[in-house]
Each structure stands twice: as C-alpha cells, then as structure tokens.
Amino acid sequence: MTREHESDTDQSVDAEEMSLDELRTEIENIDREIVELIARRTYVADSVAQVKAERDLPTTDEGQEERVMERAGRNAEQFGVDSNLVKAVFRLLIELNKVEQRESR
C-alpha cells in the first residue's frame, strides 16, 4: 500500500469517529483553503498577464493551457479524484483568468 492510500485509510477511520458537526467544520475549513488557493492562483495569473502585456504576448497560450490540463488530470488520478471533474474546474479557472487578462489590456 502506498503512502497516499495509507493516508486515505487513516482519513476514513478518522471520519467514522468524527461527529457530523465536526465533519462539516472540516469541510468549511477545506472550502476556505480552496478559496485561498484560488486567490493565490489568480494573483499569480495576474502577474503572468502583466508580463504578457509588457512583452506584447497574446493572452491565450494554447500549449500552456494543454500542459495545465494534463497536469490537472495527472494530479486527479494521483489523488483518486475524477479527472473530468478536476479538468472542468481548471477549464473554468483558465477561462476566468483569460477574461481578466483581456479586460486589463
């Protein structure tokens, strides 16, 4: 059993011992962390947009987008999450960043 699967097993045992309120609190904490990560990603993407504007580069970089999607799929598989769902989230993040980049030019 890999280390990742061991932690999954440990988490399920912990979940069985936690109350519903504790589980909901844990989800709230995770949701906050997800939003924090989205904010960090958006900040970095804004910095990318500034560099692109300074260098007169196009907003869209299909090769980079494809690499992001491939990486998202690999990460999803590594953590046992539906890769189509994860890729859909990343498509949305990429599209939001592109809209912001266009508006800032």
Side-chain angles (χ1 to χ4, degrees), residues 18-52:
M18 297 176 78
S19 74
L20 185 57
D21 286 341
E22 290 170 325
L23 291 168
R24 286 179 174 158
T25 298
E26 183 67 12
I27 287 175
E28 288 175 19
N29 292 334
I30 293 167
D31 289 349
R32 182 190 48 76
E33 290 175 20
I34 290 169
V35 172
E36 180 182 354
L37 291 171
I38 291 170
R40 285 177 52 199
R41 189 182 196 286
T42 300
Y43 173 80
V44 174
D46 288 346
S47 298
V48 168
Q50 289 175 357
V51 171
K52 285 181 177 180

Side-chain angles (χ1 to χ4, degrees), residues 56-88:
D56 199 29
L57 297 171
T59 300
T60 299
D61 181 343
E62 291 178 11
Q64 178 61 21
E65 290 177 25
E66 184 61 33
R67 288 186 292 277
V68 169
M69 297 307 290
E70 288 173 6
R71 187 172 56 241
R74 285 193 310 272
N75 286 333
E77 290 173 8
Q78 178 183 356
F79 289 100
V81 179
D82 183 293
S83 66
N84 289 326
L85 174 65
V86 170
K87 287 179 179 182

